[in-house]
Amino acid sequence: MERVFVWLMRITLGVAAVAGLLVSFAYFFLSRSLPDYSKTVEFSHITEEIEIVRDTANVPHIFGKNDQDTLFALGYVHAQDRLWQMTMLRRTAQGRLSELFGAETLTVDMVVRRLGIYSASRASLSALRSDTMAKLEAYAKGVNARLEEINLGNLGRGAPELFLFSNFIAPWSPTDSLAIIKLMGLQLSSHLESEVLRARVSLILDDDLLKDLLPDVPGSGVAELNDFASMFPSLLKQHTSVAMPKHSLSPFKSIALSGASNAWAALPGRSASPGTLLANDPHLGLTAPSIWYLARLELENGGVIGGTIPGLPVILVGRSASLGWGLTTANVDDTDVYIEKLNPANPNEYQSLDGFVPFFKKQSIIEIKGQKPVTLDMLWTENGPVLPASHYNLGAITPEGHVTSVAWTLLSGQDTSFEAAFDIMVSGSVQAAMTASQTYIAPGQNLTLADKYQIAMRTIGALPKRDPRHQSKGRMPTAGWLAVNRWQGMFDASVNPVFLNPKGGILGNTNNKYIDRPFPEHISYDWGDTQRVQRWTRLMQNREVHTRDSFIEAQLDSVSPTARALLPLIGAELWFQSENAPANTSLGRRQVALELLANWNGEMNEHLPEPLIYAAWVRALQIRLIEDELGPLHEEFTQVEPLFIEKVYRDIVGAGQWCDVVQSTPVETCAEIARLALDDALAGLEKTYGSEITALRWGEAHQATHDHPVLGNIPVLKWFVNIRQSTSGGDNTLQRGKTIGTGPNPYLNVNAGAYRGVYDFADPDSSVYIISTGQSGHPLSRHYDDLGELWRRGEYVPMSLDETLARAGATGITTLRPPAVRADR
């Protein structure tokens, strides 16, 4: 027995030793790709010496003598810290994910290739000025210099992920940078899915119910709109389609998560100091690492600092010494879906304005890991590329003998958006920046500006010029063979809305409706916010003057105006209805929940139970209201629509009829449905979090999901690469933490302001910023998540252009030299 024990001990120790060796071996190779930030390197593509000073947050301060050298260094540091992220962005834009991930990403690659965003990016190079091309080429050389350094120095392939996915990394090119802009546009736009969803709902509901469920933002609405079924009578109401599978790397996001942002600015008269103020927090899907990367560039006309996206040689949001600029999604209706009629005698032709004509056809070969390549037939009509029936359920609204195509400003082959973005960055004044923005094409954005004396907001991006007689006014798919539905070019840039130095001294945007103009100069019928703007307006007007800190306070505000408005409506007949009941009964739990909500101020605080009870209640309520009318289609409505619920419970134009369950004989009241929904919500919460209602915590459910798009789905590895944080805020708060709306935990925070910046032009170096993870994309780096906890707590890091401060707090200095410099010495 003793010998058995001895051998068991030897085996155990041996296994532990082998495991330790394997871990050490793996760590050694993975850590080889950790960048060295204190070194001197020679590169032949630069003309003068460049210094890259890393501050305590690992933000690179790049000091070059000319713009090309500085952008070369930006490409180098992007590739140092985010090489895997950059290569994935490029592969996604090229439609080449399947080379690494096999058949699971094939549908994504097929749609991206059909859209042709990479070929459109390549074509757009010819539309750029020569100096812009020089900047793109300098940046690409910087990225490639890091790739060469990795290969020559055996630096662990540059990123740990590349040990698992070891395909050859092609050199970076200017086309790659332009393609990333278009890729981000795919994530921000929601109009294609919105058109399809509205058409699908219109096949089930009559016009009045449709307007209830998909309400227009308050203000002047659409006077007349053709019924979708009447435009395509051959389309049967029961026609269905299978949606395209979702993948974490797919750029095609749900309509509910397509983008939201905040930006506001104050003139000196509304500022406590003699300068202007600007705050901006653009919202995107949360990932590890964040899509944002902080950087400071010393350019020929001065320093600029702010948020970049790896792969792009420009500060997209940030400031210089004299100008600050921020971005919010403008909700520009830049997309139209067309139903194209096939020739019954020849399916290779479609109906044009002058009869049947052949599709423009091109083939593309998609390499698939572990499988034979697939040859993809790509078709275009005069309106745009033909998309598959599975994309956003297009097949559900496509009659037999037809296909769908899409017109989209993002697909322009003469896209000068990058050039405009760079020119805005170096403008130096509000007026110059607004002029520079006129050449911006897509995706549509609201550009908020502040210099030392002025503030402005301008919608930037191409606005499609539609015929006033357009059948659906751009709200639903229409017949592509009718001239009345086709675009007539683009409006002149002078049509884009401009707001300059408002009388009230403050302007801003929360993705809310910001202009009311008749079609076709309307900008959009679909807006991203009707709720947060209410809270923002109150916070701005409650103070006569603002400070940097009051702007930060507004940026971090977690009070839900939606909760404050809806709870008195849906709970009006439920409070104080009966005597106290035992806590372990459904009535007792309901009473406890109602008492908590009755004393709640609407703050979506992570430490409170009330936000979770409220969120579960309104979610269950909307499901009960719509599932009987919509059937399986109700699952497409993953987010609560506050205007719909308010309209139902105020019984506006008979909307209270939604409370009656159409399949049942009795006529249910809205109070009954609210009570049943609350019981549903509490039962669901008890199953997941336990029966003690007062012990519930919003932050336990509302965790920010900074997940690695690839390794984050692999058992064991996910515990090392995913960053999860308890967070405050919610769907309708200024500190917006958008919930996923699906799955076992629909309250996960998957979309938020991953960059926050507040700029004070009375004291520019007191400006602050933060991103949601860390600067490094390397899981073994201490900078992988070091900024994430600050972001979660609502803290910031200094945003200074003071070179002395940067050098004083330097944690590493990299010097890049041309070979001649060393030779001379």
Side-chain angles (χ1 to χ4, degrees):
M1 189 67 176
E2 184 178 345
R3 289 180 61 83
V4 172
F5 177 76
V6 170
W7 277 104
L8 285 174
M9 285 294 296
R10 288 175 178 174
I11 292 171
T12 301
L13 292 174
V15 170
V18 170
L21 287 173
L22 289 175
V23 170
S24 300
F25 186 74
Y27 180 84
F28 172 77
F29 279 98
L30 295 179
S31 63
R32 292 282 294 167
S33 54
L34 282 169
D36 178 5
Y37 298 129
S38 298
K39 61 181 180 180
T40 299
V41 197
E42 292 183 355
F43 291 117
S44 60
H45 295 294
I46 57 177
T47 58
E48 299 190 61
E49 185 173 284
I50 310 166
E51 281 193 308
I52 304 170
V53 179
R54 299 276 182 162
D55 65 20
T56 54
N58 201 33
V59 177
H61 295 249
I62 301 173
F63 299 99
K65 304 295 193 303
N66 59 72
D67 288 356
Q68 281 73 29
D69 282 355
T70 297
L71 294 177
F72 175 95
L74 179 62
Y76 179 79
V77 300
H78 275 169
Q80 271 189 312
D81 291 325
R82 302 288 188 88
L83 180 60
W84 169 257
Q85 185 180 50
M86 293 170 67
T87 57
M88 287 303 98
L89 290 173
R90 175 172 65 179
R91 279 190 175 275
T92 306
Q94 292 173 329
R96 294 179 56 210
L97 291 173
S98 299
E99 294 176 15
L100 297 184
F101 306 110
E104 63 179 296
T105 57
L106 181 59
T107 53
V108 176
D109 285 345
M110 285 181 167
V111 176
V112 170
R113 293 207 188 186
R114 283 188 167 104
L115 288 172
I117 64 171
Y118 197 79
S119 57
S121 300
R122 185 184 295 111
S124 294
L125 294 175
S126 63
L128 303 178
R129 302 189 307 259
S130 59
D131 63 303
T132 303
M133 278 299 302
K135 294 177 175 67
L136 286 167
E137 289 168 352
Y139 176 84
K141 289 176 182 177
V143 176
N144 295 331
R146 174 59 180 171
L147 294 178
E148 183 179 4
E149 183 181 54
I150 291 167
N151 292 330
L152 294 178
N154 296 317
L155 300 181
R157 294 192 55 79
E161 296 91 340
L162 293 170
F163 279 105
L164 300 176
F165 306 96
S166 57
N167 290 46
F168 171 73
I169 302 176
W172 198 264
S173 73
T175 301
D176 300 332
S177 294
L178 298 190
I180 287 177
I181 296 179
K182 292 186 181 294
L183 186 67
M184 300 310 299
L186 294 183
Q187 297 187 28
L188 292 172
S189 180
S190 63
H191 285 280
L192 191 157
E193 186 182 6
S194 177
E195 284 193 35
V196 175
L197 182 61
R198 183 175 289 273
R200 293 177 68 194
V201 174
S202 74
L203 293 173
I204 298 174
L205 303 180
D206 62 35
D207 192 49
D208 289 337
L209 293 177
L210 175 65
K211 290 178 180 177
D212 290 338
L213 185 58
L214 297 173
D216 290 329
V217 174
S220 298
V222 181
E224 294 183 28
L225 190 66
N226 283 338
D227 176 67
F228 184 71
S230 68
M231 289 189 283
F232 302 99
S234 63
L235 184 61
L236 301 177
K237 290 191 176 184
Q238 65 267 26
H239 187 71
T240 59
S241 176
V242 178
M244 182 176 70
K246 301 293 184 183
H247 190 276
S248 57
L249 287 172
S250 172
F252 306 107
K253 305 303 180 184
S254 165
I255 187 174
L257 306 174
S258 56
S261 307
N262 299 313
W264 45 81
L267 284 167
R270 292 297 303 275
S271 170
S273 59
T276 60
L277 294 166
L278 190 152
N280 181 217
D281 54 302
H283 293 62
L284 290 168
L286 298 178
T287 62
S290 166
I291 190 65
W292 295 103
Y293 180 90
L294 304 177
R296 177 261 179 84
L297 310 177
E298 191 64 29
L299 299 171
E300 293 169 7
N301 65 342
V304 292
I305 188 169
T308 70
I309 290 179
L312 295 177
V314 65
I315 303 285
L316 284 171
V317 289
R319 72 171 186 89
S320 62
S322 57
L323 178 72
W325 58 99
L327 296 172
T328 56
T329 299
N331 298 287
V332 170
D333 188 0
D334 55 5
T335 312
D336 270 357
V337 178
Y338 292 102
I339 307 296
E340 308 281 8
K341 184 185 296 184
L342 298 176
N343 184 350
N346 183 358
N348 294 316
E349 294 181 342
Y350 70 98
Q351 186 171 350
S352 181
L353 300 180
D354 303 312
F356 289 107
V357 298
F359 289 100
F360 175 74
K361 186 176 180 179
K362 189 177 179 182
Q363 288 188 329
S364 180
I365 298 176
I366 302 179
E367 301 286 342
I368 308 170
K369 181 181 179 181
Q371 296 185 19
K372 293 181 179 180
V374 170
T375 300
L376 179 66
D377 290 327
M378 302 182 295
L379 305 178
W380 280 267
T381 71
E382 294 167 340
N383 294 311
V386 173
L387 297 182
S390 61
H391 188 59
Y392 286 133
N393 265 306
L394 282 165
I397 51 91
T398 307
E400 293 295 332
H402 296 72
V403 294
T404 52
S405 68
V406 62
W408 200 342
T409 59
L410 192 73
L411 307 182
S412 169
Q414 296 293 302
D415 193 341
T416 52
S417 298
F418 167 76
E419 189 165 271
F422 195 94
D423 290 347
I424 291 167
M425 178 181 72
V426 298
S427 293
S429 71
V430 164
Q431 295 290 350
M434 285 201 294
T435 300
S437 71
Q438 293 184 19
T439 58
Y440 182 90
I441 304 297
Q445 299 281 289
N446 279 325
L447 174 67
T448 302
L449 299 163
D451 58 23
K452 294 182 178 180
Y453 310 106
Q454 298 190 93
I455 61 174
M457 185 178 84
R458 182 178 188 274
T459 300
I460 62 174
L463 304 181
K465 184 184 293 184
R466 297 179 176 88
D467 192 303
R469 300 165 297 166
H470 189 285
Q471 283 185 299
S472 76
K473 300 185 185 299
R475 305 196 76 180
M476 289 193 291
T478 52
W481 59 88
L482 299 180
V484 71
N485 295 328
R486 293 195 172 191
W487 289 0
Q488 301 169 353
M490 299 293 151
F491 280 108
D492 185 79
S494 61
V495 174
N496 290 44
V498 175
F499 305 88
L500 176 65
N501 300 327
K503 292 182 179 179
I506 291 179
L507 56 74
N509 181 247
T510 64
N511 302 117
N512 57 290
K513 182 178 181 178
Y514 52 88
I515 195 166
D516 190 16
R517 296 196 305 207
F519 181 86
E521 296 182 11
H522 64 308
I523 304 299
S524 181
Y525 287 120
D526 296 318
W527 304 93
D529 173 50
T530 62
Q531 307 295 303
R532 290 179 291 125
V533 67
Q534 301 173 33
R535 179 67 177 170
W536 173 76
T537 301
R538 174 168 294 187
L539 291 178
M540 293 298 105
Q541 300 296 20
N542 279 351
R543 290 175 177 264
E544 184 175 344
V545 294
H546 283 271
T547 64
R548 184 200 69 171
D549 290 341
S550 72
F551 267 30
I552 290 175
E553 180 183 344
Q555 204 170 61
L556 301 175
D557 186 81
S558 61
V559 173
S560 171
T562 310
R564 289 182 169 186
L566 291 185
L567 282 174
L569 289 175
I570 66 178
E573 298 184 37
L574 300 183
W575 272 286
F576 318 116
Q577 277 194 338
S578 58
E579 297 180 1
N580 288 338
N584 61 348
T585 65
S586 61
L587 178 57
R589 287 192 295 271
R590 191 190 316 142
Q591 288 177 339
V592 173
L594 288 169
E595 184 177 356
L596 287 170
L597 294 174
N599 298 300
W600 180 47
N601 68 351
E603 183 181 2
M604 304 291 286
N605 186 296
E606 63 182 291
H607 303 295
L608 298 178
E610 291 90 346
L612 183 53
I613 298 169
Y614 156 74
W617 187 5
V618 292
R619 178 177 171 78
L621 177 60
Q622 179 165 289
I623 291 173
R624 279 194 171 266
L625 289 174
I626 69 175
E627 64 180 341
D628 56 324
E629 278 87 358
L630 293 183
L633 187 57
H634 88 274
E635 295 176 359
E636 301 285 330
F637 291 83
T638 60
Q639 304 292 326
V640 172
E641 176 46 69
L643 293 180
F644 165 65
I645 294 179
E646 183 175 2
K647 195 171 184 180
V648 169
Y649 275 80
R650 293 189 186 278
D651 194 23
I652 297 174
V653 197
Q657 65 181 302
W658 283 89
C659 294
D660 180 37
V661 180
V662 293
Q663 288 90 354
S664 69
T665 302
V667 177
E668 288 80 7
T669 67
C670 287
E672 287 179 273
I673 297 300
R675 174 177 56 78
L676 292 171
L678 181 55
D679 289 343
D680 292 344
L682 295 176
L685 294 177
E686 180 180 5
K687 182 179 179 181
T688 305
Y689 303 104
S691 59
E692 183 55 54
I693 294 176
T694 57
L696 296 172
R697 294 294 178 266
W698 174 233
E700 186 177 353
H702 192 246
Q703 293 187 24
T705 57
H706 309 278
D707 290 356
H708 193 290
V710 177
L711 303 185
N713 299 317
I714 300 176
V716 180
L717 279 180
K718 66 181 181 181
W719 300 110
F720 295 94
V721 299
N722 291 344
I723 305 168
R724 295 292 179 96
Q725 302 167 329
S726 167
T727 53
S728 298
D731 291 340
N732 303 120
T733 59
L734 286 176
Q735 184 186 337
R736 179 179 178 268
K738 193 69 174 178
T739 56
I740 191 170
T742 59
N745 181 5
Y747 313 109
L748 288 173
N749 177 4
V750 295
N751 189 291
Y755 170 94
R756 298 181 188 132
V758 182
Y759 323 137
D760 182 352
F761 284 99
D763 181 12
D765 283 331
S766 71
S767 302
V768 293
Y769 60 168
I770 195 72
I771 59 173
S772 59
T773 57
Q775 288 283 89
S776 176
H778 199 304
L780 296 181
S781 171
R782 66 188 180 92
H783 298 296
Y784 184 67
D785 60 356
D786 58 333
L787 297 180
E789 187 58 30
L790 298 178
W791 176 84
R792 190 195 74 80
R793 297 199 304 259
E795 299 179 20
Y796 299 73
V797 295
M799 185 188 197
S800 175
L801 287 171
D802 188 326
E803 182 176 344
T804 305
L805 290 177
R807 294 185 181 279
T811 58
I813 297 179
T814 301
T815 303
L816 309 182
R817 291 177 177 170
V821 173
R822 187 176 179 182
D824 291 344
R825 292 183 179 180

